[in-house]
Structures are given as C-alpha cells and as structure tokens.
Amino acid sequence: MADSTPLLLSRSDSSNESKQPPSLDETIERCIGEFGLAQFLQAILVSFAWVFDAQQTFISVFTDAEPKWHCTSDSCSSFSDICHLPQNSWAWDSPNDTSIISEWGLQCASSIIKGLPASSFFMGCLIGGLMLATLADSLLGRKNLLFLSCLMMSFSGFFTIFSNNIWIYSALKFVNGVGRATIGTCALVLSTELVGNRWRSQVGVIGFFCFTLGFLTLPAFAYINRGSSWRTLYLWTSVPTIFYSMLVHFLVRESPRWLFVRGRKEEAVTILKSIATAGGSGILMSFSNLDFGKEAWNVDTYSAIKILLKKKWACRRLLTVMAVVFGIGMVYYGMPLGLGNLSFNLYLSVTFNALSELPASLVTFFLVDKLNRKDSLLVFTTLSGVCSILSVAMGETSANLQMGLELVSFFSACTAFNISLIYTLELFPTCVRNSAISMARQSLVFGGMFSPVLVAVGSKNRFLSYGIFGMVIGICGLFVICLPETRGRTICDTMDEEEYNSTNNDLPVLG
C-alpha cells in the first residue's frame, strides 16, 4: 500500500520511519490472527442470536395458518367454499385457539387482512433496519445494538400473547420486526470482527448454522404444542430470548475494530488482551506506541449512510448488492410462507425447508474460500429462479417432484443469501460495514414484504407466487456481474483505504 494512503497507524519511534507503517487491520491481525478458545466462545455466543431471529421470522407459518375443517351436516361438502356454508354445517379440526384465523374468524377475510400480520412484521424489519442500522457504526456499537434489539424482539413477542384481535396482533408484530431488524447484521459483523482474516468466512457461517437450528426448532415446538393455543408458541420462543439478551449484555465483548475506528483505544486494547491468542498477546505492547486516527467521517448517527451515498464507488456497490438481495428475499421469505398452499403436511414441509438451510450452510462453510463470490451468486440465483418456475410448470401432475423443485429453489436461495452476506462484509470497510450489511438485509426484507400478499393470491394461481419469485430472483441475480471479486483479499477499516485499493486495483491476496 502506498505511503500516501491516509488514516494508517503510524509509529512515534523515528527509528522506524524507513519502514512502511502497518494498517489497523494488519496490526489487529497480528494479535487475533490465530483462532483461540476465547474467540470461539465469543463467536458461538454472538451467533446464537440467529436462532431467535429465525424463530420470530417464520413463526407465523404456524400461528397464522388456516386450519383444516370438516363437515358436520349433510348439506356440507368438503369441496365447498367455507364462506358460503352455514356456520353450523362445518367445524375446525383443531380447537379454535390453535390459529389466529380460527380464533378471530378470519377464514373469509381478504388476502390483505390475512397477510397483514406477516406484512407488518416485514415492514417493521424494513423501518427498524433503516432507523437502527447506523447506530452500530456510530453511537451504540455492535454489542449494545445487538443487546437492545434482542430485548425489543423478545418483549414484543411476549406481549403478543395478550393480543385479542388482529389489529393489536399486527401492531405488536410490527414492533417485533423493528427489534429483529438488526440482530442478524450485528451478530454477523461482531462475530467476524473478533477474529482474523483467515477465519472470517468460517466464523460468519456459524450464524447461518444457528439460523438453521432456530428454523428447525419451530416445527418441533409447533408439533409438541399442536393442540394448544398459538400463544404457547410465542411463549416458548420469547422467554428464552429474554435470558439470552442478559447473556449478551454481561458476556459479549465489543468489536475492537469498531472501538479503534471510534478513537477508543484503551477499551480496544483491553478487549484484545482478553481474546488474543498466545502468539498474539505479546504484540499488544506495541499499541502504546501507535497513534490511531479516528475515522473522520464517523461523526453522527447517520454519517455511515451519508458516506455510502456520497462516495460513488460505495453507492454503486451498495445499490448493486441491494438489487441482488431483493430478488433473493422474494424466494427466501416467500417459499416458507407459501408452504400452507401445498398438499404436504405443514410440519414436514417446514422441516424439509429448514433442513435445506443445513446443506446451504455446509456448502458455504466448506466452499466459501474456494469459490468466487460473483460466480457463486450468479449460479445459485439462476438455479433458484429456474426451479421455482419449473415447480409452477409441473402443476399438480407430480406432488413429489413439485416439492423437490421447491426445496432445490429454496436451498439455492439460502446459499445465495449466505454468500451475499459474506460478500457484502468484504466489499465495505469497518467504518460503514454494519450499515452496508444492514441495508442489504433491508433489501432482503423489502423483497420479503411482498411475499405474504403474493402467497395469499397464489393460493388460487401458483404462478402469481412461485412463478413471480423465480422471475425476480433470476433477473436480480444478473446484477452481481457489476461487482468486483473479493475472495482472498484483506478487509479495510477506513473509506480511504478501500477507495485507494479500488482505484489502484491494489487487492492484496492472502496466502
């Protein structure tokens, strides 16, 4: 890197003037480059937030599902429209309180009303991401925002138990979405900034495994409580999240990279001492002789967004990433929500989709260092789109093949989502990384926000759901061609470092 690159760490010892000063990333790398037990425990604890993220994201698949019903008189037929039958000629197969549809008599409500709670949740995710995302890069930091977000999501989920109509329920789902919005972003960024470059991708994938675990626990909890009120499911998922929030507050460490960028050197050094490996602990003495320049742009809550929009190269990258992830969101959120429209058992369908996340995480974990980001995203988004459209073309001729195509499409979307997060993490420097990833996730949520309505309409015409999902993810995936490749390069900490590397094509490759 050239001597003119600003905001690098400089030594006060004049005897080293002839040597090129190390960057912040290089200096921290010498301390935490090896993966120690303390880093592993921190990564696991932080990444576990994804478990509760997944549960709240897909819980409406069960709580908002329309239950099966049966006829109770000869004037009724199972092929009849339930809305045109006398009330005393049919009955629900399960108790009324197993779903909000049966408890509040919403079986004949419009698609917009039925999809209102899920849409409110995604709207909350979108607004929460826009409101809270930059706080992790500015005032609060990664740890504090993760703690507050988990706390908000857990309490709103708990108070959902006391809802007595769909309007209060939808309002609490909105608050739940606001709290959930930044959890995945903070967990990913914080866990990866606590380790060196060599382990960054693998640690990032831990969160994806935890998300899969959370997704898998949902059908298990729902099956155990299949005859109970839908409120029980919220109780089972919200109370553990409250206890987890306390663990985050007392046990999780803040990102030393963020602390250095904010000019809080003493706190950063203290954290590095607690997590540094044996080989890196002796190097910490050198921090006392280094002068760390605070990122000049990071001066207010929304400065990170301002920088991303002001710098042309950053704005171009951000908009491109958001376009790609928007298409992924259509499939990623839409397909699980649409499982109720299939003829398969709902518990098995959700379980199969949750299990699809496991091979997606494994593929990302083992191949993330071997595959180019651009090529991988292009392949998986295309495959997801093709399979989604083919599942519509199959019609009802083969239910097993239709389900298989749906699973392949969802698996491909999951893998594309995992890779897109790692890719975005590498495209942006520390000072705006959390905000950039959060904006990408909001684009994912924005795509998912259309899913509940499309799923409701698609119950009568599957092309209006799965067909549109496939077309959108296929077209949006093509935008990845406009992005630079990042596999194997070091991550930068300031905008000036990243801009210098981008302008001069100085992309250092590790090992």
Side-chain angles (χ1 to χ4, degrees):
M1 193 174 295
D3 294 335
S4 60
T5 306
L7 297 176
L8 297 180
L9 306 179
S10 59
R11 295 184 181 271
S12 58
D13 189 350
S14 60
S15 62
N16 293 321
E17 289 181 355
S18 61
K19 296 184 62 176
Q20 185 179 17
S23 68
L24 175 59
D25 182 71
E26 292 169 342
T27 306
I28 296 179
E29 183 72 16
R30 296 167 65 192
C31 298
I32 60 174
E34 296 300 324
F35 193 44
L37 178 61
Q39 293 164 291
F40 174 74
L41 294 176
Q42 285 287 307
I44 292 294
L45 182 57
V46 172
S47 299
F48 206 76
W50 288 77
V51 171
F52 309 108
D53 182 338
Q55 290 176 343
Q56 294 303 320
T57 299
F58 296 113
I59 192 171
S60 59
V61 173
F62 295 103
T63 60
D64 301 6
E66 186 162 348
K68 302 294 183 181
W69 58 277
H70 62 274
C71 295
T72 58
S73 68
D74 296 336
S75 61
C76 166
S77 170
S78 58
F79 297 101
S80 303
D81 187 342
I82 193 173
C83 298
H84 296 155
L85 294 175
Q87 183 63 41
N88 58 359
S89 66
W90 63 274
W92 299 111
D93 290 353
S94 305
N96 286 356
D97 61 355
T98 55
S99 167
I100 66 167
I101 300 295
S102 53
E103 178 172 334
W104 295 330
L106 303 175
Q107 62 272 12
C108 298
S110 66
S111 299
I112 295 178
I113 296 298
K114 290 181 180 179
L116 182 61
S119 295
S120 297
F121 173 80
F122 288 119
M123 179 63 74
C125 291
L126 184 64
I127 294 178
L130 295 175
M131 288 172 48
L132 304 177
T134 58
L135 293 177
D137 285 326
S138 54
L139 297 179
L140 293 180
R142 283 76 158 118
K143 172 191 170 179
N144 289 332
L145 185 56
L146 178 63
F147 165 67
L148 293 175
S149 296
C150 287
L151 209 59
M152 182 186 296
M153 183 181 72
S154 59
F155 277 109
S156 60
F158 179 78
F159 287 122
T160 301
I161 297 171
F162 303 101
S163 302
N164 57 9
N165 59 60
I166 193 171
W167 309 110
I168 296 176
Y169 179 72
S170 298
L172 287 169
K173 289 292 289 183
F174 175 83
V175 177
N176 189 260
V178 172
R180 177 260 172 193
T182 57
I183 288 178
T185 304
C186 289
L188 176 65
V189 173
L190 180 55
S191 62
T192 54
E193 289 184 348
L194 290 170
V195 300
N197 289 325
R198 178 184 175 187
W199 300 98
R200 186 177 66 232
S201 300
Q202 285 78 5
V203 167
V205 176
I206 293 177
F208 305 153
F209 281 111
C210 289
F211 191 90
T212 303
L213 176 63
F215 199 173
L216 277 172
T217 58
L218 260 185
F221 289 166
Y223 185 77
I224 293 173
N225 297 282
R226 60 189 179 277
S228 304
S229 170
W230 57 267
R231 294 175 173 84
T232 306
L233 201 54
Y234 277 101
L235 186 66
W236 277 50
T237 56
S238 60
V239 173
T241 314
I242 296 176
F243 289 106
Y244 171 77
S245 302
M246 298 300 106
L247 292 178
V248 170
H249 180 69
F250 291 108
L251 300 180
V252 169
R253 307 285 188 179
E254 182 56 272
S255 166
R257 296 180 185 273
W258 177 81
L259 290 171
F260 274 126
V261 169
R262 296 295 295 173
R264 296 159 61 177
K265 186 177 80 170
E266 292 76 12
E267 297 175 62
V269 170
T270 300
I271 291 175
L272 283 174
K273 287 181 179 179
S274 67
I275 65 174
T277 56
S281 58
I283 304 173
L284 289 168
M285 296 298 297
S286 63
F287 280 99
S288 60
N289 299 321
L290 296 174
D291 178 30
F292 296 89
K294 181 179 178 181
E295 173 59 60
W297 292 95
N298 242 347
V299 293
D300 60 59
T301 303
Y302 291 98
S303 59
I305 298 296
K306 295 176 184 176
I307 306 169
L308 288 170
L309 297 179
K310 185 175 182 179
K311 294 285 187 178
K312 291 183 179 180
W313 62 267
C315 183
R316 183 168 57 250
R317 289 185 185 182
L318 181 63
L319 293 178
T320 304
V321 167
M322 291 177 68
V324 175
V325 176
F326 173 84
I328 296 175
M330 276 278 196
V331 175
Y332 188 76
Y333 291 122
M335 285 198 162
L337 293 176
L339 293 175
N341 295 335
L342 301 179
S343 57
F344 276 77
N345 179 279
L346 182 60
Y347 300 104
L348 289 178
S349 298
V350 176
T351 301
F352 289 152
N353 273 257
L355 287 174
S356 297
E357 293 237 23
L358 185 60
S361 299
L362 290 173
V363 167
T364 309
F365 184 84
F366 289 109
L367 299 181
V368 70
D369 286 332
K370 299 179 176 63
L371 299 176
N372 290 338
R373 299 348 183 192
K374 292 174 61 174
D375 295 342
S376 301
L377 272 178
L378 188 60
V379 169
F380 284 113
T381 52
T382 302
L383 180 61
S384 178
V386 170
C387 290
S388 183
I389 294 174
L390 284 178
S391 70
V392 178
M394 290 295 102
E396 302 296 333
T397 56
S398 176
N400 292 332
L401 180 59
Q402 189 179 65
M403 186 66 187
L405 289 169
E406 188 272 343
L407 289 174
V408 173
S409 179
F410 184 69
F411 157 77
S412 301
C414 291
T415 308
F417 174 49
N418 295 346
I419 295 173
S420 70
L421 289 183
I422 299 295
Y423 196 14
T424 306
L425 186 147
E426 297 171 340
L427 283 169
F428 298 92
T430 300
C431 60
V432 295
R433 184 172 300 125
N434 199 94
S435 297
I437 293 180
S438 182
M439 291 296 291
R441 282 175 59 88
Q442 299 329 301
S443 182
L444 183 89
V445 170
F446 188 57
M449 194 170 65
F450 295 97
S451 300
V453 176
L454 289 175
V455 167
V457 175
S459 60
K460 298 180 179 179
N461 185 348
R462 283 177 55 85
F463 180 79
L464 295 178
S465 54
Y466 283 28
I468 292 179
F469 295 161
M471 292 176 60
V472 172
I473 192 174
I475 294 173
C476 290
L478 298 176
F479 284 94
V480 75
I481 299 173
C482 304
L483 293 171
E485 182 56 55
T486 60
R487 182 173 70 92
R489 58 167 292 192
T490 58
I491 58 174
C492 297
D493 293 295
T494 67
M495 295 294 289
D496 297 303
E497 286 184 78
E498 184 67 42
E499 185 171 8
Y500 178 84
N501 285 345
S502 302
T503 303
N504 295 275
N505 293 319
D506 181 18
L507 302 179
V509 178
L510 297 177

